[in-house]
Amino acid sequence: MKTAIVSGTFDPITVGHLDVIVRASKLFDRVVVAVSSNSEKKGLFSDEARVAAAKASVEGIENCSVALCEGLLAEFCKRYENPVIVRGARTGSDFDYERSMFVINKELASVDTVIFPCESGMDHISSTYVRELIKYGKDISNVVPLGAKAVIEDYFSNEKH
């Protein structure tokens, strides 16, 4: 059984991320969405909210699950049978970055990486763009999965974050 590990901070998850997840679900036996906890970055959303948004986004994809990845992705991959890291790339600089990460993960855990180019029309959609839309109260319906939109709206209606 090959397991695709689709990793990212997903702060927040976008329709581009979901596209990569769906494409991976058609090629691999199992997909694990690894929501990375990044202590170096102060994200907009908590780990719990990012995991909840990812779970809501992949609901209905039968061979897909979501897990929080604390620490190195290479170590996370070791938990799974025949892992393959799956990443998306919007631009040439994304491919360059992913190439560097491939070398690191291959060295640390002997895990391969598959890079999906983004679908036409999605190259402008990034988590940074979505955070800016949220910051200025703009509609995010076309840039985040429907399930994630509900989680995001709920997150901001809750004063505890």
Side-chain angles (χ1 to χ4, degrees):
M1 174 185 294
K2 286 275 187 205
T3 301
I5 309 292
V6 181
S7 67
T9 54
F10 304 109
D11 190 37
I13 192 167
T14 70
V15 293
H17 294 131
L18 183 59
D19 177 66
V20 169
I21 294 163
V22 168
R23 288 160 67 191
S25 75
K26 293 174 183 176
L27 296 174
F28 294 91
D29 301 308
R30 178 163 91 179
V31 176
V32 177
V33 178
V35 178
S36 296
S37 181
N38 188 342
S39 61
E40 297 298 312
K41 284 200 259 186
K42 172 63 176 129
L44 182 60
F45 297 96
S46 67
D47 289 349
E48 296 77 17
R50 292 181 297 114
V51 167
K55 284 182 177 178
S57 298
V58 302
E59 192 173 307
I61 304 173
E62 291 188 22
N63 63 337
C64 187
S65 62
V66 177
L68 183 63
C69 173
E70 297 176 293
L72 294 173
L73 178 60
E75 293 300 316
F76 181 87
C77 288
K78 290 178 181 179
R79 300 180 199 168
Y80 298 93
E81 181 183 351
N82 299 314
V84 175
I85 296 170
V86 174
R87 301 284 295 176
R90 294 174 293 126
T91 64
S93 60
D94 284 353
F95 277 101
D96 291 343
Y97 173 77
E98 295 304 340
R99 171 77 171 94
S100 297
M101 295 310 299
F102 157 73
V103 172
I104 291 167
N105 289 312
K106 187 74 167 181
E107 186 174 291
L108 292 175
S110 297
V111 62
D112 265 317
T113 299
V114 173
I115 303 171
F116 289 153
C118 79
E119 290 287 345
S120 179
M122 289 192 186
D123 53 340
H124 70 289
I125 300 172
S126 68
S127 292
T128 301
Y129 172 58
V130 175
R131 288 193 303 271
E132 285 296 301
L133 292 176
I134 292 168
K135 179 179 175 181
Y136 292 105
K138 299 297 183 187
D139 183 33
I140 59 171
S141 299
N142 294 327
V143 292
V144 299
L146 184 60
K149 184 176 185 275
V151 171
I152 291 167
E153 288 171 348
D154 184 56
Y155 184 80
F156 285 110
S157 70
N158 181 350
E159 297 295 322
K160 295 178 184 176
H161 62 85

